[in-house]
Amino acid sequence: QVRLVESGGGLVQVGDSLRLSCAASGRTVSVFAMGWFRQAPGKEREGISCISSSGGSTNYADSVKGRFTITRDNAKNTVYLQMNSLKPDDTAVYYCAASLARLCVSPSYWGQGTQVTVSS
């Protein structure tokens, strides 16, 4: 069993930056690909970034490519999402997830989410 807890969300202005953290406890997450997903009001949850178990490979949705960076520290069982140049369209609940599949398909574990609101 893996417990994931996100933190770092908040209310920011357009163009600001935020860093989300996802702390894992229980089973080590070093065997999992880790991803960040988000869900905006009235929209379906979308995958925005994934990092391989070793951290050697990363993927991003087009909507965040060049602005967001995913990293992980397996020694700390923590995954991060650095978000720069935030836009109002980035407003959503952000979820961390752990997956045994490549590209973070069908995650086995989810966090509870953290709200990010970008105000114009």
Side-chain angles (χ1 to χ4, degrees):
Q1 191 72 12
V2 175
R3 181 169 179 251
L4 303 174
V5 179
E6 302 95 336
S7 61
L11 172 63
V12 296
Q13 301 293 316
V14 170
D16 283 352
S17 298
L18 274 178
R19 188 176 82 154
L20 304 183
S21 298
C22 173
S25 60
R27 183 180 174 187
T28 179
V29 295
S30 62
V31 299
F32 294 94
M34 298 294 295
W36 286 96
F37 296 72
R38 68 185 181 186
Q39 187 166 20
K43 296 186 178 180
E44 293 188 356
R45 188 176 298 186
E46 63 168 335
I48 57 171
S49 186
C50 180
I51 187 167
S52 63
S53 57
S54 67
S57 177
T58 58
N59 298 90
Y60 299 92
D62 287 344
S63 58
V64 306
K65 197 173 294 182
R67 299 187 298 121
F68 291 10
T69 303
I70 188 171
T71 56
R72 67 189 297 163
D73 185 337
N74 285 341
K76 295 183 178 180
N77 258 7
T78 303
V79 179
Y80 306 95
L81 185 69
Q82 178 67 42
M83 306 187 295
N84 298 329
S85 302
L86 284 162
K87 307 174 182 180
D89 284 351
D90 295 318
T91 295
V93 178
Y94 284 70
Y95 299 90
C96 173
S99 172
L100 289 172
R102 290 182 65 248
L103 301 179
C104 297
V105 173
S106 300
S108 303
Y109 302 100
W110 291 90
Q112 83 291 346
T114 185
Q115 176 71 46
V116 172
T117 303
V118 184
S119 173
S120 57

